[in-house]
Amino acid sequence: MEESLIIDYEERLREAMLIGDVNSLDNLINDNLIFVNHFGQILTKEDDIEAHRSGVLNFTDIKILDQKVILLENSAVTVTRAALKGIFGIEPIEDEMCYSRVWQMNGDKLTIVSGHCSSVQK
């Protein structure tokens, strides 16, 4: 596994989140996903995808500010700081967040198996 592959998949994820592409999100997210959001809530793949499908979460801009990749045998860990703009429910979003993700290769399929998100305090 190479860093360029992981960066490419991170970009696919960013683009899918930005346009609410639930088909791409479905392909990028492992069925057994465990995601902890910035409220400390544990979300499943279906929870994550439903937020995009329903329009509850709607990003208008996602700028990657910094990204680090740690390569492991059949997986990789990413830590990404991003500036987000959009709407969550009826509340506007304009925040910096830090995401950590674990990407795992199963056969020829690379998916996110775990993730965490935190607000960046300025």
Side-chain angles (χ1 to χ4, degrees):
M1 192 171 326
E2 295 182 16
E3 185 172 324
S4 60
L5 176 68
I6 303 303
I7 291 170
D8 177 57
Y9 271 75
E10 281 280 333
E11 178 57 19
R12 291 181 194 189
L13 178 66
R14 187 191 75 80
E15 290 173 4
M17 290 170 57
L18 191 55
I19 63 172
D21 182 349
V22 295
N23 290 327
S24 291
L25 291 171
D26 185 50
N27 288 323
L28 292 168
I29 299 171
N30 190 282
D31 290 343
N32 298 314
L33 173 78
I34 297 173
F35 181 77
V36 180
N37 69 16
H38 63 293
F39 298 117
Q41 298 166 319
I42 298 173
L43 305 175
T44 65
K45 174 181 180 174
E46 188 53 38
D47 295 330
D48 192 333
I49 290 176
E50 183 57 30
H52 292 277
R53 181 184 294 120
S54 68
V56 167
L57 181 58
N58 183 18
F59 290 112
T60 57
D61 194 22
I62 303 172
K63 283 191 172 58
I64 304 302
L65 304 174
D66 187 36
Q67 189 165 63
K68 304 214 180 329
V69 177
I70 301 168
L71 297 175
L72 304 169
E73 190 171 323
N74 289 319
S75 59
V77 176
T78 60
V79 177
T80 304
R81 190 167 54 92
L84 308 175
K85 290 183 182 176
I87 296 174
F88 182 72
I90 59 170
E91 297 295 318
I93 302 168
E94 190 163 348
D95 212 350
E96 270 188 39
M97 303 295 270
C98 189
Y99 293 87
S100 60
R101 296 185 187 95
V102 178
W103 291 87
Q104 182 181 43
M105 183 69 78
N106 264 334
D108 64 348
K109 188 168 182 171
L110 186 62
T111 59
I112 302 164
V113 295
S114 181
H116 182 270
C117 177
S118 297
S119 295
V120 174
Q121 301 300 312
K122 298 176 187 179

